[in-house]
Amino acid sequence: MGTIVAKFGGSSLSEAAQFRKVRAIVEADENRRYIIPSAPGKRDKNDYKVTDLLYKCHALAQEGHPFMDVFTVIKDRYQSICADLGLSLDLDPEFNAIERAIAAGASADFTASRGEYLNGKILAAYLGYTFVDPATIIFFDQQGHFDAEKTQAVLSQELALHRKAVIPGFYGSTPDGQIHTFSRGGSDITGAIVARGVQATLYENWTDVSGFLMADPRIVENPKPIREITYRELRELAYMGATVLHDEAIFPVREAKIPINIKNTNDPGDPGTLIVKDNGSIRTPGSITGIAGRKGFTIIAIEKTLMHSETGFGRKLLSVIENHGISFEHMPSGIDTISLVIADSQLDNKLEKVLVDIDRVCRPDAIEVFHDIALIATVGVGMAYTPGIAAKLFTALAEAGINVRMIDQGSSEINIIVGLENKDFEEAVRRIYTAFVDPDPER
Ligand code: ASP
């Protein structure tokens, strides 16, 4: 016996047919005791997410425009789910209260949170579980920072009173009783917090894909699934663009050493991906776990004779970019050279001014700028302490005639990051994948 916290994403609860799948999943295991729903997501490519529609209502109301057309679409969505499921739940009082609140100037957070709130009401009725409003167990401080201590204390006490409960995702409350939301996709975070609070044995995150793939399927044909991955590896891959789970959802469960299982509501038999603490059991020497990357970086390469012996050079350089409000991704360095790798979105139109300031403050011999850079991370705990990994990676790129502009390997040895030109990005990902995963597909 254990306790499973199961979070179901928007696509898993987008319409009545999906609710039926969710109920079958929940009922298949007695241990699925705490259920975290998102708001209804898209039913197909051209559909709208309820959360987006709620933000729209808020924006219209703020501008003094009528919002009832949009609000009616939202109401219809929930009502048709209830009707299809044969639920006798009367949501009209809820709708009326929300409508009045929006008209009276309710905040964007309050308005958006109603997507999860209403879906939680429906799911609780459908499953026969208790409804627990997260406003009463998930807390933020007055500045909107998550209050882990207070939440942990209140949440664990309250949920101990309910054997089975539905807790809507995405929001909580501030000390003055106002509703506050996490960032978009934040129901994943709620699930992780609840899992931690009830000391779950497993946190299941149900979505519409069967976990993580070793590479982006838009780039690599039929990439293999990742069956097991450590929190650290996932963090590296997620940072580089592999998304399925909200970044911040990893921390609460990681600290409590609770595994996360990413599962597919539309294919519950698939084992999905299990995210675990690194216990050494999944180290296959020389293997990689996944490849991820992003385009759109700029490298500023700075050269200065005797830089390595100039005290404070790094600080001066970083103070320049700090003063411009820019954060950097990597800073590989040589004896007399140092490079800053910065996302283009950070630079906006600031590049010229940044270069002038670097020149003035650091007095370098030369500054060179490389635009249109992509970064690719090859990640795997199996890479650590294994000779020949870098050789394999760089041989694969060299054989394809791809020029590597930057190399960065963290001291943990679970990640090699290469910088190359945007135009080579897709081919480089394919080459690395083939070199490690599928060296000789013919055999
Ligand atoms: N409904 C919210 C969003 O669309 C939160 C979530 O789905 O996790 O961002």
Side-chain angles (χ1 to χ4, degrees):
M1 277 296 277
T3 298
I4 299 175
V5 170
K7 179 258 169 178
F8 290 89
S11 58
S12 301
L13 293 165
S14 57
E15 56 188 334
Q18 294 300 86
F19 271 73
R20 287 196 185 92
K21 292 181 193 170
V22 168
R23 182 156 86 175
I25 291 166
V26 171
E27 288 179 349
D29 191 333
E30 255 301 296
N31 296 329
R32 294 196 174 107
R33 291 172 47 203
Y34 299 105
I35 312 298
I36 318 298
S38 279
K42 293 183 181 189
R43 290 159 293 189
D44 55 63
K45 272 211 311 283
N46 303 318
D47 199 9
Y48 296 100
K49 284 178 157 196
V50 163
T51 310
D52 291 332
L53 295 176
L54 286 163
Y55 279 121
K56 180 90 194 145
C57 286
H58 175 260
L60 287 169
Q62 290 294 302
E63 289 158 15
H65 297 309
F67 62 88
M68 274 319 286
D69 282 357
V70 183
F71 196 66
T72 305
V73 175
I74 298 171
K75 277 183 2 186
D76 288 350
R77 197 74 189 273
Y78 287 111
Q79 269 157 346
S80 82
I81 292 174
C82 287
D84 268 12
L85 295 177
L87 286 176
S88 57
L89 189 66
D90 180 13
L91 288 176
D92 278 339
E94 305 280 6
F95 291 139
N96 292 339
I98 297 168
E99 185 194 322
R100 276 198 306 274
I102 298 173
S107 69
D109 280 16
F110 171 84
T111 308
S113 75
R114 296 305 90 185
E116 270 68 15
Y117 172 84
L118 291 167
N119 232 18
K121 286 272 173 183
I122 297 175
L123 188 61
Y126 186 51
L127 295 176
Y129 277 34
T130 308
F131 175 87
V132 175
D133 192 333
T136 63
I137 55 169
I138 292 192
F139 302 106
F140 298 86
D141 65 20
Q142 214 47 54
Q143 283 68 47
H145 302 123
F146 173 58
D147 185 340
E149 224 169 289
K150 183 173 171 197
T151 299
Q152 173 75 16
V154 178
L155 183 149
S156 48
Q157 211 174 17
E158 175 64 23
L159 292 186
L161 304 175
H162 309 286
R163 213 188 119 61
K164 296 184 165 185
V166 167
I167 305 119
F170 193 36
Y171 71 94
S173 62
T174 52
D176 61 0
Q178 298 299 309
I179 296 293
H180 190 79
T181 64
F182 292 106
S183 55
R184 294 300 303 267
S187 299
D188 285 346
I189 308 176
T190 309
I193 291 166
V194 172
R196 188 191 165 137
V198 301
Q199 296 181 313
T201 37
L202 181 64
Y203 171 30
E204 288 179 342
N205 195 291
W206 292 84
T207 173
D208 56 0
V209 293
S210 295
F212 292 96
L213 299 170
M214 289 191 71
D216 187 336
R218 289 166 300 187
I219 301 175
V220 172
E221 204 181 320
N222 259 329
K224 290 191 177 163
I226 302 177
R227 288 282 167 242
E228 270 201 346
I229 184 169
T230 64
Y231 294 119
R232 274 168 66 208
E233 290 171 309
L234 179 62
R235 177 95 187 99
E236 307 268 358
L237 288 174
Y239 156 75
M240 272 302 192
T243 51
V244 170
L245 190 66
H246 195 296
D247 269 1
E248 293 164 51
I250 300 171
F251 299 108
V253 279
R254 178 180 180 163
E255 266 172 44
K257 302 189 179 58
I258 300 166
I260 310 174
N261 197 180
I262 311 282
K263 296 271 287 176
N264 188 348
T265 301
N266 304 320
D267 187 6
D270 191 295
T273 299
L274 193 64
I275 307 164
V276 295
K277 166 176 161 288
D278 182 11
N279 54 16
S281 70
I282 62 170
R283 283 168 193 264
T284 309
S287 68
I288 65 164
T289 303
I291 305 163
R294 281 190 280 151
K295 290 183 183 178
F297 294 90
T298 296
I299 299 181
I300 303 176
I302 298 138
E303 206 178 315
K304 185 173 189 182
T305 310
L306 296 180
M307 178 193 293
H308 73 290
S309 57
E310 182 179 327
T311 309
F313 188 88
R315 181 185 48 75
K316 280 188 243 167
L317 177 62
L318 293 182
S319 70
V320 170
I321 64 160
E322 186 181 354
N323 289 341
H324 283 276
I326 293 169
S327 68
F328 69 97
E329 308 282 327
H330 299 280
M331 191 172 56
S333 63
I335 300 171
D336 288 336
T337 60
I338 197 162
S339 300
L340 287 172
V341 183
I342 299 173
D344 292 345
S345 55
Q346 284 284 316
L347 279 172
D348 288 334
N349 302 320
K350 299 176 185 165
L351 182 61
E352 284 312 314
K353 287 193 185 116
V354 170
L355 296 179
V356 169
D357 283 353
I358 292 177
D359 201 38
R360 181 175 53 79
V361 175
C362 303
R363 299 256 160 246
D365 298 335
I367 307 182
E368 238 184 314
V369 177
F370 303 101
H371 294 284
D372 301 323
I373 297 292
L375 297 181
I376 299 177
T378 305
V379 174
V381 285
M383 287 164 39
Y385 316 111
T386 312
I389 296 285
K392 201 190 243 186
L393 195 151
F394 293 111
T395 305
L397 296 177
E399 278 174 357
I402 294 172
N403 186 26
V404 175
R405 285 288 179 79
M406 184 215 76
I407 303 169
D408 201 357
Q409 182 181 25
S411 50
S412 63
E413 280 193 57
I414 71 160
N415 195 359
I416 298 177
I417 295 174
V418 292
L420 32 80
E421 287 178 34
N422 278 344
K423 69 173 175 47
D424 293 327
F425 176 70
E426 284 84 2
E427 185 58 15
V429 171
R430 281 191 284 270
R431 293 287 177 148
I432 297 171
Y433 181 85
T434 306
F436 283 96
V437 186
D438 217 1
D440 194 354
E442 297 305 306
R443 256 188 303 169

